[in-house]
Amino acid sequence: MDERESLAVDVYLDGLLARRGGARPAVIPTAADLPPAIVSTAELLDRSLQRFHPSFLFEEGLAQRLRAQAEGRLLPAPPGRLLTFPRDLGPDHEDGDRRARSLLVGGAIASGVSLAGAALLARRRGRGPAVATGSTRGAGTVTMRRGL
Amino acid sequence: MEAARRDHGAFEALYRRYVAQVYSFALYETRDPHAAEDLTEQVFLKALQGLPRFREQGDGDASTFRVWLFRIARNALSNQRRWTRRHPTATLDDALAIVATDDPEAEVVKREVMARVRAAIERLPEDRRRALTLRFVEEMSAREVGQVMGRSEGAVRVLVHRALGSVAEELGGSRPS
């Protein structure tokens, strides 16, 4: 088993594998000079060793995880960008701006809810149950508490 | 490749192109579909993280990205083996058992042949088995296999040649001189 024969086997394998896709190799190597056992084994492996594909669910799930990871890495939300709100974002704004805006909107909503909650608590302590709607009650209470 | 660095859509195209190759390599190496999925995920996550450090040195079919990807796979496989050395694993037969067919009789014969082939391959030393898998399943050239395995092209040719001889002997053929 010398290097020359290994080279001949390698050339033969190149031709064998090139036929898989239906393509005809430019030079079809001859197997005549190779040991028949090697040739028959190579042809058997060519038929037997197939490529497997992962399940659709796995492939799509990993694609999603890669996408999420890439977005987290490639599209960070710079802290300074939060100050740009409520600037009107044009059609060609960057994703970073969109992310910053949604973060700030979320923060504003959270702050509003907190304020309304604090106001409701203060009103209940001071006056008992109220009959106003949530929004008007919260706003009125804030005004009242500020006036105090 | 430069596009993949900047744009995830481009990386996803690379992922779609190579996911089955990496998965197949992992499946042949681990013989366990679940371990193969874990390894495939590790490889692509590491590739995504390491992409800024990767430098393309080829073009088209000569792209070195695939070699780089399989080097990551080889390293991930070594790490995984260190972890799972003491745990039993399912065989590749489990993965093949779910393949449906319209011709059960032919499928039985085919599976018997494949089982013998796989058994012969599994008995090979690791370097010969890996060289054979990369050459036949991944359709890599001897040069590419060498780049993945850290061997010279000539050494890979000899590895593949010897692996074929060993499998031939296992399957009842005569070992070539």
Side-chain angles (χ1 to χ4, degrees), chain B residues 17-173:
Chain B
R17 181 174 177 184
Y18 292 114
V19 64
Q21 293 188 30
V22 171
Y23 175 78
S24 288
F25 174 69
L27 186 59
Y28 275 95
E29 288 281 341
T30 63
R31 298 184 288 281
D32 176 359
H34 300 297
E37 286 185 352
D38 287 346
L39 197 100
T40 304
E41 177 155 357
Q42 284 177 43
V43 169
F44 281 100
L45 285 171
K46 283 181 183 172
L48 182 62
Q49 289 165 359
L51 202 59
R53 294 189 300 276
F54 171 71
R55 291 288 172 268
E56 178 62 84
Q57 294 172 348
D59 193 19
D61 291 341
S63 169
T64 53
F65 179 76
R66 183 164 79 143
V67 168
W68 180 66
L69 204 59
F70 275 85
R71 279 184 184 160
I72 294 175
R74 191 192 67 183
N75 292 335
L77 192 64
S78 299
N79 292 335
Q80 192 186 59
R81 284 202 171 130
R82 276 195 284 272
W83 277 90
T84 60
R85 196 160 286 159
R86 295 179 182 174
H87 295 76
T89 56
T91 68
L92 185 58
D93 294 328
D94 295 339
L96 297 170
I98 58 172
V99 177
T101 177
D102 293 332
D103 188 352
E105 197 172 334
E107 189 63 26
V108 166
V109 173
K110 186 180 171 187
R111 282 189 190 181
E112 282 176 359
V113 172
M114 287 182 71
R116 288 182 63 210
V117 169
R118 285 197 305 277
I121 290 172
E122 284 178 20
R123 277 192 282 274
L124 292 173
E126 182 178 288
D127 55 352
R128 291 187 193 183
R129 187 182 68 239
R130 183 167 295 170
L132 217 53
T133 304
L134 292 172
R135 193 76 171 95
F136 278 88
V137 180
E138 308 303 343
E139 300 175 14
M140 287 185 178
S141 66
R143 184 166 175 264
E144 283 179 304
V145 175
Q147 288 171 335
V148 171
M149 295 181 64
R151 301 283 187 92
S152 71
E153 191 174 344
V156 169
R157 286 195 201 109
V158 172
L159 264 182
V160 171
H161 189 187
R162 287 180 175 161
L164 284 171
S166 300
V167 173
E169 195 174 49
E170 283 275 343
L171 297 177

